[in-house]
Amino acid sequence: MASTELQRLWKLNQIDSGLVDIRHRAANLDVGKRLTAELEELKKRDAEIGGNARKLSAELTDLELAQKGIDDKLKKIDKEMYGGSVVNAREVENLQKEIAALKRQRDHNDEKILGLWDTVPPAKAAASKIETQIAEKEKQIVERKKAAIVEKQKLEAEFARLTQLRPDAARGVNPGLMNKYDSIRQRMGGVGMAEVTRKNSCAGCGTVVAERAVQSLKDEKVITCESCHRILYYTEGVV
Ligand SMILES: [Zn+2]
């Protein structure tokens, strides 16, 4: 067994380790960074895929309007030709040429329109799929941020609880040991003590504790790990 002195220091170490852990968790809190990066990626794809769908739709609308314009012109010429106002043979010939040209243009547009009827729906579907994914991602980000706030509050409460416990735990430790512990803590990321595992290694850094050191620990001496220099806590294989 460890001495009463070391048992007290161990309690303090538990509190300090808890505080270190909370700080670490607070610093690494997931506030949706990954999700936001994914959202940016989706928005980039949306600009491309959505842009393509809009371009094709606009093309189709333009062609449909153009067809209507051609039909109107043809009707007008038809009226002129059969309304009795055109009698001159040359005029009739010109109008017939115009009709032929308009019909060629209309056929050409029809072909393009048929092609677009094939490509517009899947392009629109792809754009709408991305839009849905964006909406879903935005929802996830909002939820992640809400959850992060709750987690942060929990961590703060736990931090306050441990901070409150610390003075009492520190009072029981003798000043010499406390100084040693504090200076190790400062060098070792806030954790100044480590348990000796069942396999007689330091739980802080994994280094094997020498047989001689284990014997000294059994004799209730204050021993530090030869590698990480943390004060070792030995409970005779209980850990
Ligand atoms: Zn160690």
Side-chain angles (χ1 to χ4, degrees), residues 68-116:
K68 198 180 169 300
I70 289 171
D71 283 342
D72 289 347
K73 265 187 203 162
L74 285 171
K75 269 183 208 153
K76 204 176 141 218
I77 294 169
D78 207 48
K79 253 188 204 167
E80 273 177 48
M81 278 182 69
Y82 301 102
S85 59
V86 182
V87 284
N88 185 310
R90 161 89 37 103
E91 257 184 276
V92 171
E93 197 185 324
N94 283 341
L95 286 174
Q96 274 167 342
K97 272 185 192 163
E98 204 183 328
I99 289 171
L102 284 168
K103 282 185 174 168
R104 273 198 305 276
Q105 183 61 47
R106 194 173 61 182
D107 287 348
H108 179 68
N109 287 354
D110 266 341
E111 230 170 273
K112 277 193 181 170
I113 286 173
L114 281 176
L116 285 167

Side-chain angles (χ1 to χ4, degrees), residues 166-217:
R166 199 179 189 280
D168 266 351
R171 234 188 307 277
V173 183
N174 88 50
L177 189 58
M178 187 62 131
N179 277 344
K180 192 179 174 76
Y181 170 75
D182 276 338
S183 77
I184 296 167
R185 215 154 63 87
Q186 271 161 27
R187 278 181 283 129
M188 297 311 298
V191 181
M193 255 185 124
E195 277 166 310
V196 176
T197 68
R198 245 182 247 277
K199 287 177 178 169
N200 281 351
S201 65
C202 166
C205 71
T207 301
V208 173
V209 180
E211 197 50 51
R212 210 155 21 109
V214 172
Q215 192 49 54
S216 299
L217 285 165

Side-chain angles (χ1 to χ4, degrees), residues 16 18 30 58 65 80-81 86 100 116 148 152 206 213 222 237 239:
D16 287 337
D30 179 7
L65 272 174
E80 273 177 48
M81 278 182 69
V86 182
L116 285 167
K152 189 169 171 275
V222 175
V239 181

Side-chain angles (χ1 to χ4, degrees), residues 188 194-195 201-209 224-232:
M188 297 311 298
E195 277 166 310
S201 65
C202 166
C205 71
T207 301
V208 173
V209 180
T224 56
C225 168
E226 62 180 36
S227 175
C228 72
H229 307 295
R230 291 190 178 99
I231 298 168
L232 291 171

Side-chain angles (χ1 to χ4, degrees), residues 102-155:
L102 284 168
K103 282 185 174 168
R104 273 198 305 276
Q105 183 61 47
R106 194 173 61 182
D107 287 348
H108 179 68
N109 287 354
D110 266 341
E111 230 170 273
K112 277 193 181 170
I113 286 173
L114 281 176
L116 285 167
W117 279 352
D118 277 341
T119 52
V120 168
K124 274 188 174 172
S128 128
K129 195 176 157 197
I130 293 257
E131 277 164 27
T132 308
Q133 285 173 334
I134 286 176
E136 178 60 29
K137 199 60 78 183
E138 280 170 341
K139 212 174 112 193
Q140 285 174 4
I141 290 172
V142 169
E143 277 162 15
R144 185 60 247 159
K145 283 187 174 161
K146 270 191 208 161
I149 289 170
V150 173
E151 283 165 26
K152 189 169 171 275
Q153 283 166 346
K154 274 188 194 163
L155 290 175

